[in-house]
């Protein structure tokens, strides 16, 4: 994370347009959002499948079948089952602390490639699991991959997108998350219908499809001009890349601002200490308050555990997965309907210097 100085371009507007080169690059990078949504949505459906519980969590399965006195909610009271779900988030949290310096030191592309490799490995291991240890290890690797990709991809999208469309491009990542969530519930529902009780393997292994797409695509992704400036003094190379992604030759104004912002960012000796300054207090408070209250509402718990919650109130396996799918469609629908705001918010509300600071970050995107 880097705390930089506000660099203003004295009212000049950046030249450029949305090119197919940028669109395709961002589409490949945004595949990480599909993986994120898929891994979030798959666990709730799996923990409501009797075949999956019978294979790895027989105590929970036996309670569901034999215990008629205990409430349905308490039948899922298993620390091992909870560890299966939470291991993804714990490993993702730990990995994110390493992802930031890797992205800052080696670039966005390398960080995405490392995350994609971990995701593919975790998906394959999960689908081939024959015991709880393999299952948990695969889940941990998925969390490591998400820790890297979720840190690097939004930053990559922000730096590749034209400044006034940055919100829209980042909204694409959120839409991909919603699509991945729907995909997870749909695959869970289809896997449930497979005779023999091995459909859960498909649910776990299918995460390898978008993960492989991201990993292979990462080899062909261009590095962002911000990263090229940050890691060397070859400004001509950064200029050529900026001309290519903007589709115009006159990019000197934006290039000069990126260079100034990079030098200003490197001059800051104590970035975290600077965050406590009065002028950064509004950004600091909001960056903490927004995610905190989002989690405190409990809405993410409903999304992650929807199939299990529906099972505890008496619905069947199929009905609980269908109900979870309905929630996923509603969430994606609202995400898409509010998406157009991303085309106007950055350029109409946020001043230019804030947008520039974001795009020229040398770490995880915020100053």
């Amino acid at each position: 994370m880097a705390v930089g100085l506000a660099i203003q371009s004295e009212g000049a507007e950046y030249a450029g347009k949305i090119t197919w080169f940028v669109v395709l690059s961002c589409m490949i990078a945004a595949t990480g959002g599909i993986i994120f949504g898929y891994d979030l949505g798959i666990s709730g459906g799996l923990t409501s499948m009797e075949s999956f519980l019978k294979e790895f969590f027989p105590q929970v399965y036996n309670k569901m079948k034999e215990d008629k006195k205990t409430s349905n909610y308490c039948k899922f009271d298993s620390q091992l089952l909870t560890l299966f779900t939470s291991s993804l988030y714990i490993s993702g949290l730990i990995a994110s602390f390493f992802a930031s310096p890797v992205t800052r030191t080696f670039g966005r592309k390398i960080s995405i490639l490392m995350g994609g490799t971990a995701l593919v490995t975790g998906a394959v291991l999960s689908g081939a699991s024959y015991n709880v240890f393999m299952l948990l290890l695969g889940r941990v690797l998925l969390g490591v991959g998400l820790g890297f990709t979720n840190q690097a991809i939004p930053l990559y999208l922000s730096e590749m997108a034209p400044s006034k469309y940055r919100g829209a491009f980042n909204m694409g990542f959120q839409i991909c998350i919603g699509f991945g969530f729907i995909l997870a519930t749909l695959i869970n529902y289809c896997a449930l219908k497979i005779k023999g009780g091995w459909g859960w393997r498909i649910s776990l292994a299918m995460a390898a499809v978008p993960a492989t797409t991201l990993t292979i695509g990462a080899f062909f992704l261009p590095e962002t001009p911000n990263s090229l400036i940050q890691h060397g003094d070859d400004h001509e190379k950064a200029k050529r890349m900026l001309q290519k992604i903007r589709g115009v030759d006159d990019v000197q104004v934006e290039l000069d601002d990126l260079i100034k912002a990079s030098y200003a960012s490197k001059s800051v000796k104590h970035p975290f200490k600077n965050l406590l300054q009065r002028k950064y207090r509004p950004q600091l408070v909001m960056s903490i308050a927004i995610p905190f209250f989002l989690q405190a509402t409990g809405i993410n718990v409903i999304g992650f555990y929807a199939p299990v919650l529906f099972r505890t109130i008496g619905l069947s396996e199929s009905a609980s997965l269908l109900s979870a799918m309905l929630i996923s469609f509603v969430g994606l629908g609202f995400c898409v309907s509010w998406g157009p705001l991303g085309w106007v918010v950055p350029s109409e509300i946020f001043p230019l210097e804030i947008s520039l600071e974001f795009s020229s970050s040398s770490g995880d995107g915020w100053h």
Side-chain angles (χ1 to χ4, degrees), residues 28-50:
I28 294 174
T31 308
I34 298 178
I35 307 170
F36 186 27
Y38 187 90
D39 287 333
L40 293 180
I42 207 71
S43 58
L46 286 173
T47 52
S48 68
M49 290 185 186
E50 293 183 1

Side-chain angles (χ1 to χ4, degrees), residues 217-334:
F219 282 103
F220 302 96
L221 287 178
E223 193 57 271
T224 67
N226 308 62
S227 184
L228 293 174
I229 293 172
Q230 177 185 336
H231 295 108
D233 294 326
D234 190 357
H235 295 164
E236 283 301 317
K237 183 178 181 180
K239 183 177 181 178
R240 290 193 298 269
M241 179 57 65
L242 195 59
Q243 289 172 335
K244 188 174 183 179
I245 66 177
R246 296 291 180 256
V248 294
D249 294 330
D250 184 16
V251 294
Q252 194 61 45
V253 174
E254 184 175 4
L255 180 66
D256 290 342
D257 281 347
L258 293 178
I259 294 172
K260 291 177 183 177
S262 178
Y263 286 148
S265 178
K266 292 178 181 179
S267 67
V268 177
K269 302 300 182 182
H270 305 286
F272 290 98
K273 184 178 179 180
N274 282 14
L275 283 175
L276 301 178
Q277 295 181 15
R278 183 180 182 88
K279 62 179 179 179
Y280 295 121
R281 195 168 299 165
Q283 294 93 327
L284 178 63
V285 171
M286 294 306 296
S287 65
I288 296 175
I290 291 176
F292 172 79
F293 286 107
L294 177 63
Q295 299 296 328
T297 62
I299 190 62
N300 283 347
V301 175
I302 295 176
F304 301 160
Y305 295 98
V308 177
L309 293 174
F310 286 124
R311 289 224 66 183
T312 61
I313 62 176
L315 296 183
S316 65
E317 288 179 287
S318 297
S320 63
L321 289 173
L322 284 174
S323 300
M325 193 182 305
L326 177 61
I327 292 178
S328 301
F329 273 107
V330 172
L332 179 61
F334 273 90

Side-chain angles (χ1 to χ4, degrees), residues 320-361:
S320 63
L321 289 173
L322 284 174
S323 300
M325 193 182 305
L326 177 61
I327 292 178
S328 301
F329 273 107
V330 172
L332 179 61
F334 273 90
C335 181
V336 172
S337 64
W338 282 93
L341 285 178
W343 293 87
V344 297
V345 168
S347 58
E348 298 297 331
I349 295 180
F350 293 105
L352 177 61
E353 59 268 22
I354 293 181
S355 297
L356 177 60
E357 280 189 316
F358 184 90
S359 67
S360 61
S361 164

